Amino acid sequence: MNAAAGGHRGVPHTADVRIEAWGPTRGRCIAEAVAGFVESFA
């Protein structure tokens, strides 16, 4: 996993969706969080 490039992953949770996102900038981190959220239901 390349933390410098950014990424996201779903984390098991009993009732909701939990997403961990990371990136080199705040904007990239938010973009990864949005992508993870969309992937959770799309």
Side-chain angles (χ1 to χ4, degrees):
M1 176 169 37
N2 185 357
H8 61 274
R9 68 179 180 158
V11 180
H13 193 271
T14 56
D16 293 321
V17 174
R18 182 172 287 178
I19 301 163
E20 290 182 353
W22 59 92
T25 64
R26 181 175 182 258
R28 178 64 188 263
C29 186
I30 292 170
E32 290 293 342
V34 170
F37 180 69
V38 170
E39 286 178 9
S40 73
F41 65 85

